[in-house]
Every structure is written in structure tokens, then in C-alpha cells.
Amino acid sequence: MRYSLFSDMRAFVAIELSEKVRAALAREQSRLQAVCGHNPDIRWTRPDGLHLTLKFLGEIPAEQVLYVTAALEALDPFEKFEVEVKGFGFFPDALHPRVFWAGFDAPAALAHLGRSVETALEKLGFAREDRPFRPHLTLARFRTPRAERTLAAAVEEMDSTSFGRFEVREFFLFESHLLTGGAEYRKVARFPDVDD
């Protein structure tokens, strides 16, 4: 289903979380923010901004949106599969954190879908990621890569905590608008393009 006419946009390809998982993560984010206290170095992601990103595209012109959509529509259909949001971590590590994330326990089907999207869009000139696909949800970013011991200690206690499972049967091309209060997201197209 197409959601609108295309225009220049900041875009990415992602899987949407279930509302139940999003709510569980929002509760945990609130708890961890309280544990950390006010820390201007940590920018927490708004819960409505959590997506499982398959490919970030950046700013793309309107005519390229058409090619991206066509390339994703041409992908082979995939069997639905379940993923579990589980555990936490830091990129690159807890001593020099840039990103605080929640991880996934997922079948090989998720990595296969990620590779399919990557390959299809590489043919359109989008550079292939040089790092292996590591599914995660960015919960916070650090302005300065300094160890946040309180957060690291809280995370260590909950390393295998599950925030729920959900079924993946579709993914989306999203547009993001950067606003002063954070990004706002809009679905542009759904894949596979089927009616409910």
C-alpha cells in the first residue's frame, strides 16, 4: 500500500515493533532514566521512534524514492517469523559508549531479510554496510563516549531480560522529519504490498 505521493525525504527501511513490546521498552527506558538521573550527555530515544532498522538511506530525492520502492516491491516474498527483544548492550562498548541498545533473539530469516534489502538497494547506489547486520533498537545516544557506570551496572543485572516477542510479516519505507523535540516518522510504503 502506498501512503502518499513521493517527495524528497530523509528515509530508512525498518520493521515496526508491536505496541506491547514498545510499551515494555518505554517502561524500562523510564526506569533507567530515573536510575541515571539527569545526565545531559545521554539523549534518550522517544519510544515512538523505536524501529528495527534494516537500512538507513539518508536524504533521497523524490525520483529515487520511486526506484527504492520498486526495488523493495521486487524482493521475493518472505515467510513470517517471530523475534524477541532481549538484553542490552553498548556500541562500541560500555567504557566508551556511543549508543545504548536493546538486542534481538531472532531466527536466520531476519538476517536474510536484512541482506536482501541491502543487496536490492546496493544496486541503486546505496553503499553496502561494511559491518555485519546486528539487529538492535537504539534506546539512547551519548554526546561524549564516557562510561556511565550507573547505567552499565543496571544493564548488567538485566542482561537476559525479555521485553516480549512479536511476529514479523511486513516492513516499511519510513520518512523521518528532524524536529527540535526529536524526529517524527511517517510510513511511506509497506512491503509486501498486500491488503489486510
Side-chain angles (χ1 to χ4, degrees):
M1 172 190 281
R2 302 283 172 78
Y3 285 84
S4 70
L5 295 175
F6 298 129
S7 59
D8 292 5
M9 68 177 70
R10 180 179 171 84
F12 62 97
V13 180
I15 293 166
E16 189 169 47
L17 305 181
S18 73
E19 285 307 313
K20 189 174 177 182
V21 166
R22 191 184 303 281
L25 286 166
R27 287 191 297 273
E28 189 55 31
Q29 272 186 305
S30 293
R31 190 188 75 80
L32 291 172
Q33 286 177 39
V35 165
C36 293
H38 176 68
N39 185 337
D41 259 359
I42 304 176
R43 289 176 296 141
W44 293 90
T45 305
R46 291 193 341 238
D48 63 345
L50 295 174
H51 303 91
L52 172 47
T53 302
L54 298 172
K55 179 71 176 173
F56 178 71
L57 306 178
E59 293 285 342
I60 59 175
E63 60 272 16
Q64 196 168 29
V65 179
L66 292 169
Y67 292 117
V68 166
T69 303
L72 295 175
E73 284 174 343
L75 290 178
D76 289 336
F78 65 93
E79 293 287 327
K80 61 186 179 184
F81 56 90
E82 274 202 351
V83 296
E84 182 179 16
V85 180
K86 187 175 183 180
F88 296 110
F90 298 90
F91 290 144
D93 57 52
L95 293 177
H96 310 91
R98 288 271 179 205
V99 170
F100 170 52
W101 50 263
F104 281 87
D105 185 1
L110 176 58
H112 178 73
L113 178 59
R115 283 192 303 273
S116 297
V117 169
E118 186 83 57
T119 299
L121 297 180
E122 185 182 28
K123 293 173 185 172
L124 298 180
F126 292 97
R128 180 175 282 275
E129 288 290 330
D130 52 7
R131 292 170 296 194
F133 177 62
R134 277 193 71 184
H136 67 279
L137 301 169
T138 298
L139 299 180
R141 295 183 187 278
F142 294 78
R143 289 187 172 90
T144 307
R146 244 189 329 243
E148 173 41 76
R149 298 187 193 287
T150 309
L151 179 58
V155 164
E156 205 170 301
E157 291 174 10
M158 308 179 53
D159 189 43
S160 59
T161 299
S162 173
F163 297 96
R165 303 176 68 85
F166 66 96
E167 187 177 79
V168 176
R169 58 173 66 204
E170 61 191 1
F171 62 96
F172 297 88
L173 176 63
F174 281 93
E175 175 181 15
S176 69
H177 288 286
L178 300 178
L179 307 170
T180 48
E184 186 178 88
Y185 303 98
R186 182 177 69 91
K187 293 173 185 170
V188 176
R190 178 178 67 191
F191 310 96
D193 182 9
V194 292
D195 293 323
D196 294 329

